[in-house]
């Protein structure tokens, strides 16, 4: 007589318990070794490890980074705080006060980011070196990679413009919006609409005709730049990024000025304005992002306000600006800083296929 064991199939020895981590014990040992090696690297270079709050009254204003809001009670009053998307703002306040090299390893949070290479909560390494150029910081990054890979690393330096021309076939800083859109559609990237309607312009009936025209012209220019950068981002992510860093770890340098965020801008060798920053790619995956840091309070405030204006035009909530960061800019010494996604770095070092293999509990199981 054959027994029907279907009712006990959930308890078969090979079934994974619902409480179990997605990371194996062997990978947990590799992760622990990675963290230990990083800390030893910075200890030998006398870079101070710091810890800053995860919660802040201010938030990242970047249009395409969504902060996780937290309802707290502060002195018996309800308040909204935000889990940081990066420790950058607080670390710069420390740097302005102490003026020594610092680093931090901490969890960071970005809402609605889920996928093979994304998780709402992930681990970031961030460090700042006073009086370092971007080239000096890139050299130090290479030295850290050599420690973690345990062999000599040669990094390829690749201008954003050159990578775009090689893989997309058009100059990103001079191409028209219509040309970028046509290229995207030719590559099968259809269904995207980056046009923005600014409803605030409809509420200018009491303004003078001259002022109304000025506002319309300013808004049109801003919308065109936003639309242009959106097409560039789409083409770069789909047609350029997958090709980067397969033979050698690759630094993409000299980004479009619209991507400057908190980086300085300068003219490149062709006379085009570019952002002084780089990104590290390994096996087609973005691993790190570095800036020659801008320490100009009024200029940063203007960028934050422009971000919030863009968020408004995208029907996104406007974020509170970090006034403490702006105040610290007067004392922030020249420096370069870098953020490294440690989960992704562990992925490429170990050959893991997705993020959940290198973290214990992804957001769906947290």
């Amino acid at each position: 007589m054959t027994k029907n064991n279907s009712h006990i199939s959930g308890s078969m020895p090979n079934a994974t318990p619902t409480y179990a981590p997605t990371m194996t014990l062997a990978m947990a040992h590799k992760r622990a070794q990675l963290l230990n090696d990083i800390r030893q690297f910075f200890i030998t270079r006398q870079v101070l490890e710091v810890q800053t709050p995860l919660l802040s009254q201010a938030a990242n204003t970047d249009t395409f980074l969504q902060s996780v809001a937290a309802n707290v009670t502060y002195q018996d009053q309800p308040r909204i705080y935000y889990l940081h998307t990066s420790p950058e703002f607080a670390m710069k306040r420390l740097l302005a006060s102490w003026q020594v090299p610092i680093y931090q390893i901490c969890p960071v949070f970005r809402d609605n980011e889920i996928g093979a290479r994304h998780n709402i909560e992930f681990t970031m390494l961030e460090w700042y070196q006073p009086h370092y150029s971007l080239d000096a910081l890139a050299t130090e990054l290479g030295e850290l990679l050599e420690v973690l890979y345990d062999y000599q690393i040669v990094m390829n330096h690749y201008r954003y413009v050159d990578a775009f021309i090689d893989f997309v076939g058009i100059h990103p800083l001079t191409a028209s919006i219509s040309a970028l859109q046509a290229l995207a559609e030719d590559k099968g990237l259809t269904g995207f609409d980056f046009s923005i309607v600014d409803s605030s312009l409809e509420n200018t009936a009491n303004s003078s005709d001259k002022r109304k025209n000025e506002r319309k012209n300013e808004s049109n220019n801003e919308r065109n730049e936003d639309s242009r950068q959106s097409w560039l981002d789409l083409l770069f992510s789909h047609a350029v990024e997958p090709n980067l860093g397969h033979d050698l770890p690759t630094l993409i340098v000299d980004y479009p000025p619209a991507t400057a965020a908190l980086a300085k801008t300068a003219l490149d060798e062709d006379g085009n304005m570019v952002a002084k920053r780089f990104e590290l790619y390994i096996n087609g995956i973005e691993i790190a992002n570095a800036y020659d840091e801008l320490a100009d309070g009024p200029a940063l405030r203007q960028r934050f306000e422009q971000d919030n204006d863009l968020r408004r035009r995208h029907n996104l909530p406007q974020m509170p600006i970090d006034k403490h960061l702006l105040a610290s800019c007067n004392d922030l010494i020249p420096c370069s800083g870098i953020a490294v996604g440690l989960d992704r770095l562990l992925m490429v070092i170990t050959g893991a296929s997705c993020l959940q293999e290198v973290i214990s509990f992804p957001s769906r199981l947290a």
Side-chain angles (χ1 to χ4, degrees):
M1 177 177 175
T2 302
K3 293 182 179 180
N4 183 352
N5 293 324
S6 60
H7 66 286
I8 61 170
S9 61
S11 60
M12 293 293 287
N14 293 331
T16 302
T18 57
Y19 64 80
T22 55
M23 177 172 61
T24 65
L25 178 58
M27 184 64 77
H29 281 289
K30 293 178 181 179
R31 185 181 180 95
Q33 186 63 54
L34 178 88
L35 296 175
N36 180 70
D37 290 344
I38 290 171
R39 287 191 164 97
Q40 290 302 315
F41 176 86
F42 286 115
I43 286 172
T44 61
R45 285 159 176 75
Q46 298 184 318
V47 181
L48 177 66
E49 182 172 11
V50 300
Q51 184 175 4
T52 56
L54 303 184
L55 280 173
S56 174
Q57 301 172 72
N60 195 322
T61 59
D62 189 302
T63 311
F64 302 107
L65 288 183
Q66 307 312 319
S67 297
V68 175
N71 294 314
V72 304
T73 302
Y74 182 84
Q75 294 184 335
D76 297 328
Q77 297 297 317
R79 300 277 292 272
I80 296 178
Y81 276 56
Y82 299 89
L83 291 169
H84 66 182
T85 60
S86 157
E88 177 177 9
F89 293 178
M91 289 184 73
K92 285 181 176 176
R93 291 166 61 185
L94 293 182
L95 189 60
S97 299
W98 299 339
Q99 301 191 354
V100 297
I102 56 175
Y103 83 97
Q104 181 168 189
I105 298 171
C106 63
V108 296
F109 306 83
R110 297 182 182 181
D111 204 14
N112 200 32
E113 294 202 3
I114 295 294
R117 301 174 184 175
H118 296 86
N119 198 56
I120 292 174
E121 177 181 351
F122 58 100
T123 304
M124 182 175 286
L125 161 66
E126 190 150 333
W127 82 89
Y128 292 87
Q129 282 286 10
H131 305 293
Y132 264 43
S133 66
L134 271 182
D135 287 341
L137 191 64
T139 297
E140 187 167 60
L141 172 61
E143 292 167 350
L144 174 60
L145 291 179
E146 289 185 351
V147 168
L148 300 180
Y149 274 95
D150 197 26
Y151 57 76
Q152 186 174 0
I153 296 290
V154 177
M155 289 197 293
N156 179 31
H157 289 65
Y158 206 0
R159 291 197 311 162
Y160 179 97
V161 165
D162 296 329
F164 216 95
I165 291 173
D166 287 346
F167 294 111
V168 183
I170 196 169
H171 196 297
L173 303 183
T174 59
S176 66
I177 293 175
S178 59
L180 294 172
Q181 182 176 357
L183 262 174
E185 292 173 351
D186 184 59
K187 293 181 178 296
L189 302 173
T190 59
F192 295 91
D193 182 6
F194 297 125
S195 59
I196 304 172
V197 177
D198 193 347
S199 58
S200 68
L201 295 178
E202 299 172 2
N203 301 318
T204 58
N206 295 326
S207 303
S208 67
D209 288 341
K210 180 179 179 181
R211 180 56 186 151
K212 283 166 63 177
N213 289 334
E214 288 175 350
R215 285 196 60 192
K216 286 182 179 178
N217 288 336
E218 291 171 1
S219 182
N220 285 337
N221 289 337
E222 290 171 354
R223 281 183 288 165
N224 285 339
E225 282 305 307
D226 177 52
S227 177
R228 175 189 183 78
Q229 190 57 50
S230 294
W231 286 112
L232 288 176
D233 291 343
L234 179 68
L235 284 165
F236 193 86
S237 64
H238 286 77
V240 181
E241 279 189 9
N243 301 290
L244 301 175
H246 291 283
D247 296 325
L248 297 171
T250 297
L251 297 182
I252 298 294
V253 302
D254 292 349
Y255 276 75
T259 69
L262 275 66
K264 295 176 182 177
T265 56
L267 294 177
D268 70 3
E269 60 190 53
D270 301 321
N272 294 307
M273 187 64 69
V274 295
K276 301 307 294 178
R277 51 181 293 244
F278 68 72
E279 291 188 4
L280 169 68
Y281 287 88
I282 302 176
N283 295 342
I285 301 174
E286 179 194 342
I287 302 296
N289 185 15
Y291 295 162
D292 184 347
E293 303 292 348
L294 178 66
D296 182 331
L300 283 181
R301 177 182 291 277
Q302 183 179 30
R303 290 187 187 182
F304 292 153
E305 290 173 347
Q306 288 173 343
D307 285 346
N308 268 333
D309 188 52
L310 186 56
R311 293 180 70 89
R312 175 184 57 77
R313 297 203 301 270
H314 280 282
N315 295 316
L316 294 170
Q318 298 184 53
M319 294 289 102
I321 292 172
D322 193 329
K323 297 177 182 178
H324 296 302
L325 171 65
L326 298 180
S328 73
C329 284
N330 291 333
D331 297 313
L332 186 61
I333 56 181
C335 64
S336 290
I338 184 168
V340 181
L342 288 188
D343 307 318
R344 288 185 177 182
L345 180 57
L346 184 57
M347 271 182 63
V348 299
I349 289 175
T350 61
S353 61
C354 62
L355 213 62
Q356 72 173 19
E357 294 181 25
V358 298
I359 60 178
S360 56
F361 301 108
S363 295
R364 65 182 175 83
L365 295 176

